[in-house]
Amino acid sequence: MILYHCADARSFRPLWALEELGLPYDLRMLPFPPRFRAREYLDINPLGTIPLFVDGETRMTESAAIVEYLCARHSPNDLAVGPDEPGFGAWLNALHFGEATLTFPQTLVLRYSRLEPAERRQPQVAQDYARWFLARLKGLVAILETTPFVAAGRFTGGDISVAYALLLAQTLGLDGEFPPIVANYWARMQDRPGFLAAKAAQVRASQSQAVDPLDVAKL
Ligand SMILES: N[C@@H](CCC(=O)N[C@@H](CS)C(=O)NCC(=O)O)C(=O)O
């Protein structure tokens, strides 16, 4: 399995899943954003986005779908929730909630507060979408008030999808506004050996491949 990755970008979701599952993989680091800083990447992924995940004939570019694929295939009754389990709907919802509801608004914050050249930045847009993201955390608070994980009462790929959005929020400096129950969940997620192993793997791979990750936190 090959994973094309930029440090702490959405490709961190499949990287974390690979580490939780203890699977062998080839991690190919790219500078961010690859569309501009690694033009040759467009030859293998015309979208220019990361992740790109390759497993034999399978090619995938949606981070939450790759997490679902890996968990369903390699850990159907543990990191994935089966269709016969009561938490099945909650797990699918969490996989999508993490990306569509919690990550998407933050991409506008990233773009209009950091990525665009100074004259194109839009502080009002960045501020509005930061608020939007923080308001959407109410959905996570409601879940965590009844259970320590987002589905099935155990750690699953759904937690990887949701907690990645919290990692991005930390990068953007929004974590100080997490409600206490979310801050506690985020601390628990960061303590997981799989999370720490994924963090270490991206540092090692950046160094050995001599890729300057241009971590978004440094922009
Ligand atoms: N919905 C996709 C989004 C992929 C995506 O937009 N990735 C971002 C990084 S977090 C990217 O590659 N941005 C650089 C660009 O758009 O050029 C997913 O969840 O993987």
Side-chain angles (χ1 to χ4, degrees):
M1 288 182 276
I2 304 171
L3 178 64
Y4 291 86
H5 174 55
C6 294
D8 284 353
R10 284 179 178 92
S11 40
F12 190 82
R13 285 192 179 110
L15 176 58
W16 184 0
L18 286 162
E19 286 294 343
E20 290 281 349
L21 292 161
L23 296 169
Y25 61 89
D26 177 357
L27 188 60
R28 308 228 176 133
M29 298 298 300
L30 294 163
F32 186 85
R35 217 155 24 107
F36 298 114
R37 299 184 67 229
R39 303 283 303 168
E40 67 288 356
Y41 179 59
L42 293 171
D43 296 339
I44 49 172
N45 179 10
L47 285 173
T49 54
I50 37 93
L52 168 65
F53 171 78
V54 183
D55 184 12
E57 295 295 304
T58 301
R59 287 170 53 88
M60 300 177 75
T61 55
E62 285 294 330
S63 59
I66 303 166
V67 171
E68 183 175 354
Y69 171 94
L70 288 168
C71 296
R73 186 164 265 193
H74 298 281
S75 179
N77 300 312
D78 188 7
L79 286 194
V81 181
D84 298 332
E85 286 189 67
F88 181 59
W91 122 271
L92 287 177
N93 205 63
L95 284 166
H96 292 266
F97 177 69
E99 173 58 17
T101 297
L102 293 185
T103 302
F104 171 70
Q106 296 191 74
T107 62
L108 290 152
V109 180
L110 176 63
R111 177 170 183 175
Y112 288 106
S113 66
R114 298 178 188 218
L115 290 181
E116 287 288 345
E119 69 280 6
R120 281 189 43 85
R121 290 190 186 171
Q122 302 275 357
Q124 190 62 58
V125 172
Q127 216 178 338
D128 288 351
Y129 281 91
R131 289 280 127 223
W132 172 325
F133 160 72
L134 290 164
R136 292 301 186 272
L137 286 178
K138 284 180 195 142
L140 180 56
V141 169
I143 294 167
L144 295 173
E145 276 169 352
T146 62
T147 166
F149 300 101
V150 294
R154 62 176 186 269
F155 178 83
T156 66
D159 292 292
I160 292 178
S161 181
V162 168
Y164 170 70
L166 304 179
L167 172 63
L168 180 58
Q170 185 176 67
T171 303
L172 294 173
L174 301 174
D175 53 320
E177 295 182 67
F178 287 171
I181 201 165
V182 171
N184 174 282
Y185 171 76
W186 173 224
R188 284 190 285 120
M189 293 299 112
Q190 290 177 90
D191 271 351
R192 288 194 64 84
F195 178 94
L196 295 168
K199 278 282 196 181
Q202 67 181 11
V203 171
R204 264 197 322 274
S206 294
Q207 286 165 351
S208 71
Q209 294 168 32
V211 171
D212 168 12
L214 190 66
D215 192 290
V216 285
K218 291 191 219 120
L219 290 176

